[in-house]
Amino acid sequence: MAERILIVEDEINIATPTKTYLERDGFEVTHVLSGEEGLRVMEEDAPNLVLLDLNLPGIDGLEVCRRIRATSQVPIIMLTARDDEASRVTGLEMGADDYVTKPVVTKVLAARIRAALRRVQLH
């Protein structure tokens, strides 16, 4: 069975090509546009990994990360335009496993996803 990835990203021009590439790479991908939707899908679908934007409408990515971490150890990769040191540190300290800045090379992102999933399988 394919690994399930949840993309929580409000920018369609980022999410659509990322989803398409990851599906071609063998992943099952769900895309939602808001933090609230992301939390709902987490409860209903229990994906194997979450790609999470920081700048979301409503509940922001840091709060989504905090809420996910309260109940799950699913790998979380922050995928965001915020590339300053403080944002990176905050994202990782809130529970993200990796922090990737936009624009992202989808091939590199897929490799980071596979690496995060391998780490989970080893434990």
Side-chain angles (χ1 to χ4, degrees), residues 3 16 20 24 32 37 39 43 46 50 53 56 60 63-64 66 83-84 89 93 103 105 110 113-114 120:
E3 300 278 5
T16 300
T20 300
R24 277 190 258 164
V32 298
E37 289 177 289
L39 292 170
E43 287 182 24
V50 178
D53 185 20
L56 295 168
D60 73 8
E63 179 61 16
V64 172
R66 188 190 68 73
D83 65 353
D84 60 284
V89 170
E93 287 182 347
V105 176
I113 289 169
R114 284 191 297 277
V120 170

Side-chain angles (χ1 to χ4, degrees), residues 74-90:
V74 65
I76 299 171
I77 298 176
M78 294 281 186
L79 180 60
T80 181
R82 293 189 200 172
D83 65 353
D84 60 284
E85 182 180 339
S87 293
R88 288 174 184 261
V89 170
T90 301

Side-chain angles (χ1 to χ4, degrees), residues 26-86:
F27 296 103
E28 183 182 311
V29 182
T30 300
H31 169 235
V32 298
L33 297 168
S34 71
E36 292 87 354
E37 289 177 289
L39 292 170
R40 181 185 51 76
V41 171
M42 271 299 300
E43 287 182 24
E44 295 173 0
D45 191 36
N48 301 103
L49 183 137
V50 178
L51 283 179
L52 179 60
D53 185 20
L54 286 179
N55 299 319
L56 295 168
I59 301 172
D60 73 8
L62 289 175
E63 179 61 16
V64 172
C65 183
R66 188 190 68 73
R67 291 185 190 185
I68 290 171
R69 273 296 163 256
T71 60
S72 173
Q73 289 304 308
V74 65
I76 299 171
I77 298 176
M78 294 281 186
L79 180 60
T80 181
R82 293 189 200 172
D83 65 353
D84 60 284
E85 182 180 339

